[in-house]
Amino acid sequence: MEKPVIITVAITGSVPRKTDNPAVPVTPSEQIESTQECYEAGASLVHIHVRNPDESPGSDPALFARVQEGVRKYCPGMIIQFSTGGRGREQAARGAMLSLRPDMASLATGSVNFPTSVYENPPDFVENLARTMLDNGVKAEVEVFDLAMLYNAANLVRKGLLSPAPHVQFVMGIANALPARRSIFDFLRAELEMLLPEATWVAAGIGRHQWEVNQWCLQEGGHCRTGLEDNTRFDQTRLAASNAELVRKIADDCGKYNRRPASPIEARQILNLRRVA
Ligand code: ZN
């Protein structure tokens, strides 16, 4: 029996496209169109950042609302996840769009260095964000950028601020944070199994590690994340033409690992999310 894999696509991210891949969608209509292509290629979860009209990272709930509305219309059942990530955004603004009640939102459970900055998530800020998600019925995807964040997530569960079955993402390959090493991947999975046996998991490989980490996840029964947020290059030699191209690469290779892309309905069951009409 092929085991379904939830393919997450992170369509945009928060690095301005000026020097970057022109295929990155930045306006709400570009984002909706790109998401629909990914949905048709097998993605069942979309991770969303928004951009201001000048393409800088945005936090305006109205922008999130427009993208959410379009994705709901053109990608029925697809799981919508908003980023509460910090790059370019004031802390107070990072949870402002949770009142729109997306299915999910990302939650980094600690601070870490990024290539040229500090990604700051103080304990009280993390707890407040977790509480706001609970209040709005938004499921958290725990972002593990560094080892302590896994144990912090388990503490949040103990405090009742996080479901005992969170979706956990290991983010590997960011300079100054966790390297994309197989031994670390195996260790993180084993620790998660011990700490939060009901959790589901996914790993993201950044940059040239993206495809390698996708393969590890397919092999080990986890879920996959791809998209131009994490990787503007399809491989070492050329730029990816689109988010959908990256999704298709996973969908096409699933069979080799006895996997198949989860439908949105299956993905919602796996993550214990509400069904949509
Ligand atoms: Zn993101």
mmCIF file of all heavy atoms in Angstrom, residues 118-154:
data_model
loop_
_atom_site.group_PDB
_atom_site.id
_atom_site.type_symbol
_atom_site.label_atom_id
_atom_site.label_comp_id
_atom_site.label_asym_id
_atom_site.label_seq_id
_atom_site.Cartn_x
_atom_site.Cartn_y
_atom_site.Cartn_z
ATOM 1 N N VAL A 118 19.554 37.743 13.342
ATOM 2 C CA VAL A 118 19.043 36.902 14.424
ATOM 3 C C VAL A 118 17.544 36.759 14.221
ATOM 4 O O VAL A 118 16.851 37.758 14.012
ATOM 5 C CB VAL A 118 19.270 37.561 15.804
ATOM 6 C CG1 VAL A 118 18.756 36.640 16.914
ATOM 7 C CG2 VAL A 118 20.735 37.884 16.007
ATOM 8 N N TYR A 119 17.053 35.526 14.267
ATOM 9 C CA TYR A 119 15.613 35.297 14.200
ATOM 10 C C TYR A 119 15.142 35.188 15.645
ATOM 11 O O TYR A 119 15.346 34.171 16.306
ATOM 12 C CB TYR A 119 15.332 34.018 13.410
ATOM 13 C CG TYR A 119 13.861 33.717 13.202
ATOM 14 C CD1 TYR A 119 12.899 34.728 13.243
ATOM 15 C CD2 TYR A 119 13.448 32.422 12.949
ATOM 16 C CE1 TYR A 119 11.563 34.447 13.045
ATOM 17 C CE2 TYR A 119 12.114 32.131 12.743
ATOM 18 C CZ TYR A 119 11.167 33.146 12.801
ATOM 19 O OH TYR A 119 9.842 32.863 12.607
ATOM 20 N N GLU A 120 14.539 36.281 16.100
ATOM 21 C CA GLU A 120 14.285 36.427 17.527
ATOM 22 C C GLU A 120 12.883 35.967 17.909
ATOM 23 O O GLU A 120 11.892 36.510 17.426
ATOM 24 C CB GLU A 120 14.424 37.917 17.857
ATOM 25 C CG GLU A 120 15.130 38.168 19.166
ATOM 26 C CD GLU A 120 15.283 39.661 19.399
ATOM 27 O OE1 GLU A 120 15.950 40.317 18.582
ATOM 28 O OE2 GLU A 120 14.712 40.139 20.387
ATOM 29 N N ASN A 121 12.799 34.984 18.779
ATOM 30 C CA ASN A 121 11.519 34.479 19.269
ATOM 31 C C ASN A 121 11.617 34.230 20.773
ATOM 32 O O ASN A 121 11.820 33.092 21.214
ATOM 33 C CB ASN A 121 11.141 33.179 18.542
ATOM 34 C CG ASN A 121 10.927 33.391 17.051
ATOM 35 O OD1 ASN A 121 9.982 34.041 16.636
ATOM 36 N ND2 ASN A 121 11.842 32.865 16.245
ATOM 37 N N PRO A 122 11.495 35.297 21.577
ATOM 38 C CA PRO A 122 11.617 35.141 23.030
ATOM 39 C C PRO A 122 10.495 34.257 23.578
ATOM 40 O O PRO A 122 9.428 34.162 22.967
ATOM 41 C CB PRO A 122 11.460 36.572 23.565
ATOM 42 C CG PRO A 122 11.520 37.479 22.391
ATOM 43 C CD PRO A 122 11.200 36.670 21.170
ATOM 44 N N PRO A 123 10.730 33.616 24.749
ATOM 45 C CA PRO A 123 9.752 32.668 25.293
ATOM 46 C C PRO A 123 8.346 33.240 25.437
ATOM 47 O O PRO A 123 7.367 32.582 25.067
ATOM 48 C CB PRO A 123 10.334 32.304 26.662
ATOM 49 C CG PRO A 123 11.788 32.559 26.534
ATOM 50 C CD PRO A 123 11.956 33.684 25.560
ATOM 51 N N ASP A 124 8.219 34.472 25.952
ATOM 52 C CA ASP A 124 6.853 35.002 26.152
ATOM 53 C C ASP A 124 6.167 35.276 24.815
ATOM 54 O O ASP A 124 4.961 35.086 24.668
ATOM 55 C CB ASP A 124 6.867 36.257 27.034
ATOM 56 C CG ASP A 124 7.750 37.355 26.481
ATOM 57 O OD1 ASP A 124 8.647 37.065 25.657
ATOM 58 O OD2 ASP A 124 7.550 38.525 26.858
ATOM 59 N N PHE A 125 6.946 35.675 23.815
ATOM 60 C CA PHE A 125 6.388 35.902 22.486
ATOM 61 C C PHE A 125 5.869 34.581 21.892
ATOM 62 O O PHE A 125 4.768 34.511 21.358
ATOM 63 C CB PHE A 125 7.455 36.523 21.575
ATOM 64 C CG PHE A 125 7.032 36.608 20.132
ATOM 65 C CD1 PHE A 125 6.154 37.602 19.708
ATOM 66 C CD2 PHE A 125 7.490 35.681 19.202
ATOM 67 C CE1 PHE A 125 5.745 37.661 18.377
ATOM 68 C CE2 PHE A 125 7.084 35.741 17.876
ATOM 69 C CZ PHE A 125 6.208 36.740 17.465
ATOM 70 N N VAL A 126 6.664 33.527 22.034
ATOM 71 C CA VAL A 126 6.259 32.212 21.507
ATOM 72 C C VAL A 126 4.968 31.747 22.186
ATOM 73 O O VAL A 126 4.035 31.272 21.528
ATOM 74 C CB VAL A 126 7.386 31.167 21.720
ATOM 75 C CG1 VAL A 126 6.914 29.771 21.336
ATOM 76 C CG2 VAL A 126 8.629 31.546 20.924
ATOM 77 N N GLU A 127 4.913 31.918 23.504
ATOM 78 C CA GLU A 127 3.716 31.467 24.231
ATOM 79 C C GLU A 127 2.489 32.266 23.824
ATOM 80 O O GLU A 127 1.398 31.713 23.667
ATOM 81 C CB GLU A 127 3.948 31.548 25.749
ATOM 82 C CG GLU A 127 4.979 30.533 26.204
ATOM 83 C CD GLU A 127 4.977 30.297 27.706
ATOM 84 O OE1 GLU A 127 4.128 30.896 28.409
ATOM 85 O OE2 GLU A 127 5.816 29.509 28.171
ATOM 86 N N ASN A 128 2.659 33.565 23.657
ATOM 87 C CA ASN A 128 1.520 34.393 23.233
ATOM 88 C C ASN A 128 1.020 34.004 21.852
ATOM 89 O O ASN A 128 -0.185 33.942 21.603
ATOM 90 C CB ASN A 128 1.887 35.881 23.245
ATOM 91 C CG ASN A 128 1.911 36.424 24.657
ATOM 92 O OD1 ASN A 128 1.228 35.912 25.537
ATOM 93 N ND2 ASN A 128 2.716 37.448 24.879
ATOM 94 N N LEU A 129 1.971 33.758 20.958
ATOM 95 C CA LEU A 129 1.591 33.369 19.602
ATOM 96 C C LEU A 129 0.852 32.018 19.630
ATOM 97 O O LEU A 129 -0.168 31.833 18.962
ATOM 98 C CB LEU A 129 2.858 33.289 18.744
ATOM 99 C CG LEU A 129 2.747 33.515 17.245
ATOM 100 C CD1 LEU A 129 1.973 34.767 16.897
ATOM 101 C CD2 LEU A 129 4.165 33.598 16.632
ATOM 102 N N ALA A 130 1.364 31.085 20.428
ATOM 103 C CA ALA A 130 0.722 29.765 20.548
ATOM 104 C C ALA A 130 -0.694 29.927 21.096
ATOM 105 O O ALA A 130 -1.637 29.281 20.618
ATOM 106 C CB ALA A 130 1.546 28.852 21.450
ATOM 107 N N ARG A 131 -0.845 30.819 22.080
ATOM 108 C CA ARG A 131 -2.160 31.032 22.687
ATOM 109 C C ARG A 131 -3.126 31.656 21.666
ATOM 110 O O ARG A 131 -4.287 31.263 21.576
ATOM 111 C CB ARG A 131 -2.023 31.927 23.922
ATOM 112 C CG ARG A 131 -3.243 31.888 24.831
ATOM 113 C CD ARG A 131 -3.006 32.595 26.159
ATOM 114 N NE ARG A 131 -2.102 31.882 27.040
ATOM 115 C CZ ARG A 131 -0.902 32.318 27.455
ATOM 116 N NH1 ARG A 131 -0.449 33.480 27.032
ATOM 117 N NH2 ARG A 131 -0.169 31.595 28.275
ATOM 118 N N THR A 132 -2.623 32.607 20.892
ATOM 119 C CA THR A 132 -3.480 33.241 19.871
ATOM 120 C C THR A 132 -3.936 32.202 18.850
ATOM 121 O O THR A 132 -5.072 32.223 18.377
ATOM 122 C CB THR A 132 -2.713 34.377 19.165
ATOM 123 O OG1 THR A 132 -2.148 35.222 20.157
ATOM 124 C CG2 THR A 132 -3.612 35.199 18.277
ATOM 125 N N MET A 133 -3.043 31.287 18.492
ATOM 126 C CA MET A 133 -3.425 30.226 17.542
ATOM 127 C C MET A 133 -4.528 29.361 18.151
ATOM 128 O O MET A 133 -5.523 29.054 17.496
ATOM 129 C CB MET A 133 -2.210 29.375 17.185
ATOM 130 C CG MET A 133 -1.220 30.117 16.310
ATOM 131 S SD MET A 133 0.140 29.046 15.783
ATOM 132 C CE MET A 133 1.310 30.306 15.254
ATOM 133 N N LEU A 134 -4.351 28.970 19.403
ATOM 134 C CA LEU A 134 -5.373 28.152 20.072
ATOM 135 C C LEU A 134 -6.708 28.879 20.085
ATOM 136 O O LEU A 134 -7.748 28.305 19.763
ATOM 137 C CB LEU A 134 -4.965 27.883 21.522
ATOM 138 C CG LEU A 134 -4.062 26.704 21.841
ATOM 139 C CD1 LEU A 134 -3.922 26.583 23.356
ATOM 140 C CD2 LEU A 134 -4.585 25.399 21.246
ATOM 141 N N ASP A 135 -6.677 30.165 20.456
ATOM 142 C CA ASP A 135 -7.911 30.956 20.559
ATOM 143 C C ASP A 135 -8.639 31.046 19.227
ATOM 144 O O ASP A 135 -9.853 31.200 19.190
ATOM 145 C CB ASP A 135 -7.606 32.380 21.050
ATOM 146 C CG ASP A 135 -7.156 32.394 22.508
ATOM 147 O OD1 ASP A 135 -7.333 31.363 23.189
ATOM 148 O OD2 ASP A 135 -6.619 33.431 22.953
ATOM 149 N N ASN A 136 -7.876 31.018 18.133
ATOM 150 C CA ASN A 136 -8.485 31.160 16.808
ATOM 151 C C ASN A 136 -8.713 29.824 16.107
ATOM 152 O O ASN A 136 -9.091 29.787 14.937
ATOM 153 C CB ASN A 136 -7.621 32.064 15.924
ATOM 154 C CG ASN A 136 -7.756 33.528 16.317
ATOM 155 O OD1 ASN A 136 -8.773 34.160 16.028
ATOM 156 N ND2 ASN A 136 -6.777 34.062 17.020
ATOM 157 N N GLY A 137 -8.436 28.723 16.794
ATOM 158 C CA GLY A 137 -8.625 27.408 16.191
ATOM 159 C C GLY A 137 -7.650 27.140 15.048
ATOM 160 O O GLY A 137 -7.981 26.455 14.086
ATOM 161 N N VAL A 138 -6.441 27.707 15.152
ATOM 162 C CA VAL A 138 -5.427 27.546 14.102
ATOM 163 C C VAL A 138 -4.415 26.499 14.566
ATOM 164 O O VAL A 138 -3.850 26.617 15.655
ATOM 165 C CB VAL A 138 -4.699 28.895 13.857
ATOM 166 C CG1 VAL A 138 -3.588 28.727 12.837
ATOM 167 C CG2 VAL A 138 -5.693 29.966 13.416
ATOM 168 N N LYS A 139 -4.194 25.488 13.752
ATOM 169 C CA LYS A 139 -3.204 24.458 14.136
ATOM 170 C C LYS A 139 -1.795 24.968 13.873
ATOM 171 O O LYS A 139 -1.517 25.524 12.809
ATOM 172 C CB LYS A 139 -3.460 23.168 13.359
ATOM 173 C CG LYS A 139 -2.407 22.101 13.655
ATOM 174 C CD LYS A 139 -2.821 20.712 13.262
ATOM 175 C CE LYS A 139 -1.672 19.746 13.596
ATOM 176 N NZ LYS A 139 -2.114 18.370 13.718
ATOM 177 N N ALA A 140 -0.905 24.727 14.830
ATOM 178 C CA ALA A 140 0.477 25.178 14.673
ATOM 179 C C ALA A 140 1.307 24.157 13.898
ATOM 180 O O ALA A 140 1.151 22.957 14.074
ATOM 181 C CB ALA A 140 1.112 25.390 16.050
ATOM 182 N N GLU A 141 2.166 24.666 13.036
ATOM 183 C CA GLU A 141 3.259 23.844 12.522
ATOM 184 C C GLU A 141 4.499 24.344 13.237
ATOM 185 O O GLU A 141 4.908 25.497 13.064
ATOM 186 C CB GLU A 141 3.429 23.998 11.015
ATOM 187 C CG GLU A 141 4.630 23.197 10.498
ATOM 188 C CD GLU A 141 4.820 23.326 8.993
ATOM 189 O OE1 GLU A 141 4.097 22.683 8.235
ATOM 190 O OE2 GLU A 141 5.713 24.099 8.580
ATOM 191 N N VAL A 142 5.067 23.483 14.069
ATOM 192 C CA VAL A 142 6.257 23.863 14.835
ATOM 193 C C VAL A 142 7.455 23.877 13.903
ATOM 194 O O VAL A 142 7.709 22.896 13.191
ATOM 195 C CB VAL A 142 6.491 22.872 15.988
ATOM 196 C CG1 VAL A 142 7.819 23.140 16.677
ATOM 197 C CG2 VAL A 142 5.337 22.937 16.975
ATOM 198 N N GLU A 143 8.179 24.992 13.895
ATOM 199 C CA GLU A 143 9.366 25.101 13.046
ATOM 200 C C GLU A 143 10.603 24.871 13.902
ATOM 201 O O GLU A 143 10.895 25.663 14.792
ATOM 202 C CB GLU A 143 9.442 26.487 12.401
ATOM 203 C CG GLU A 143 8.191 26.922 11.662
ATOM 204 C CD GLU A 143 7.839 26.035 10.488
ATOM 205 O OE1 GLU A 143 8.750 25.429 9.902
ATOM 206 O OE2 GLU A 143 6.639 25.946 10.159
ATOM 207 N N VAL A 144 11.307 23.788 13.636
ATOM 208 C CA VAL A 144 12.517 23.474 14.394
ATOM 209 C C VAL A 144 13.734 23.899 13.574
ATOM 210 O O VAL A 144 14.171 23.196 12.668
ATOM 211 C CB VAL A 144 12.563 21.966 14.747
ATOM 212 C CG1 VAL A 144 13.885 21.605 15.417
ATOM 213 C CG2 VAL A 144 11.387 21.592 15.645
ATOM 214 N N PHE A 145 14.230 25.094 13.886
ATOM 215 C CA PHE A 145 15.416 25.621 13.204
ATOM 216 C C PHE A 145 16.687 25.229 13.944
ATOM 217 O O PHE A 145 17.779 25.350 13.421
ATOM 218 C CB PHE A 145 15.366 27.153 13.140
ATOM 219 C CG PHE A 145 14.341 27.697 12.186
ATOM 220 C CD1 PHE A 145 13.079 28.068 12.624
ATOM 221 C CD2 PHE A 145 14.651 27.856 10.837
ATOM 222 C CE1 PHE A 145 12.142 28.593 11.740
ATOM 223 C CE2 PHE A 145 13.722 28.379 9.954
ATOM 224 C CZ PHE A 145 12.468 28.748 10.403
ATOM 225 N N ASP A 146 16.516 24.851 15.213
ATOM 226 C CA ASP A 146 17.671 24.457 16.018
ATOM 227 C C ASP A 146 17.171 23.483 17.089
ATOM 228 O O ASP A 146 15.978 23.443 17.386
ATOM 229 C CB ASP A 146 18.334 25.692 16.634
ATOM 230 C CG ASP A 146 19.858 25.517 16.706
ATOM 231 O OD1 ASP A 146 20.334 24.367 16.576
ATOM 232 O OD2 ASP A 146 20.559 26.532 16.888
ATOM 233 N N LEU A 147 18.089 22.740 17.652
ATOM 234 C CA LEU A 147 17.693 21.587 18.460
ATOM 235 C C LEU A 147 16.757 21.913 19.616
ATOM 236 O O LEU A 147 15.771 21.208 19.841
ATOM 237 C CB LEU A 147 18.966 20.895 18.973
ATOM 238 C CG LEU A 147 18.767 19.606 19.767
ATOM 239 C CD1 LEU A 147 17.947 18.603 18.975
ATOM 240 C CD2 LEU A 147 20.120 19.023 20.133
ATOM 241 N N ALA A 148 17.046 22.994 20.362
ATOM 242 C CA ALA A 148 16.244 23.280 21.558
ATOM 243 C C ALA A 148 14.773 23.478 21.226
ATOM 244 O O ALA A 148 13.898 23.248 22.060
ATOM 245 C CB ALA A 148 16.790 24.520 22.267
ATOM 246 N N MET A 149 14.502 23.876 20.010
ATOM 247 C CA MET A 149 13.119 24.191 19.641
ATOM 248 C C MET A 149 12.212 22.968 19.720
ATOM 249 O O MET A 149 11.014 23.090 19.968
ATOM 250 C CB MET A 149 13.088 24.809 18.246
ATOM 251 C CG MET A 149 13.858 26.115 18.193
ATOM 252 S SD MET A 149 13.672 26.925 16.604
ATOM 253 C CE MET A 149 14.908 28.217 16.784
ATOM 254 N N LEU A 150 12.782 21.795 19.530
ATOM 255 C CA LEU A 150 11.999 20.562 19.642
ATOM 256 C C LEU A 150 11.541 20.351 21.088
ATOM 257 O O LEU A 150 10.383 20.030 21.350
ATOM 258 C CB LEU A 150 12.862 19.390 19.168
ATOM 259 C CG LEU A 150 12.217 18.015 19.127
ATOM 260 C CD1 LEU A 150 10.942 18.028 18.296
ATOM 261 C CD2 LEU A 150 13.197 17.004 18.543
ATOM 262 N N TYR A 151 12.458 20.563 22.021
ATOM 263 C CA TYR A 151 12.126 20.375 23.445
ATOM 264 C C TYR A 151 11.219 21.494 23.927
ATOM 265 O O TYR A 151 10.353 21.288 24.779
ATOM 266 C CB TYR A 151 13.417 20.265 24.267
ATOM 267 C CG TYR A 151 14.295 19.174 23.695
ATOM 268 C CD1 TYR A 151 15.247 19.460 22.723
ATOM 269 C CD2 TYR A 151 14.090 17.848 24.066
ATOM 270 C CE1 TYR A 151 15.989 18.458 22.131
ATOM 271 C CE2 TYR A 151 14.829 16.835 23.481
ATOM 272 C CZ TYR A 151 15.777 17.146 22.514
ATOM 273 O OH TYR A 151 16.502 16.155 21.918
ATOM 274 N N ASN A 152 11.405 22.689 23.377
ATOM 275 C CA ASN A 152 10.498 23.795 23.712
ATOM 276 C C ASN A 152 9.076 23.464 23.282
ATOM 277 O O ASN A 152 8.114 23.797 23.978
ATOM 278 C CB ASN A 152 10.944 25.095 23.016
ATOM 279 C CG ASN A 152 12.310 25.571 23.481
ATOM 280 O OD1 ASN A 152 12.820 25.100 24.486
ATOM 281 N ND2 ASN A 152 12.898 26.497 22.744
ATOM 282 N N ALA A 153 8.952 22.813 22.125
ATOM 283 C CA ALA A 153 7.609 22.437 21.647
ATOM 284 C C ALA A 153 6.975 21.445 22.623
ATOM 285 O O ALA A 153 5.789 21.564 22.964
ATOM 286 C CB ALA A 153 7.702 21.835 20.246
ATOM 287 N N ALA A 154 7.753 20.487 23.091
ATOM 288 C CA ALA A 154 7.219 19.512 24.045
ATOM 289 C C ALA A 154 6.780 20.219 25.334
ATOM 290 O O ALA A 154 5.764 19.857 25.943
ATOM 291 C CB ALA A 154 8.258 18.437 24.349
#
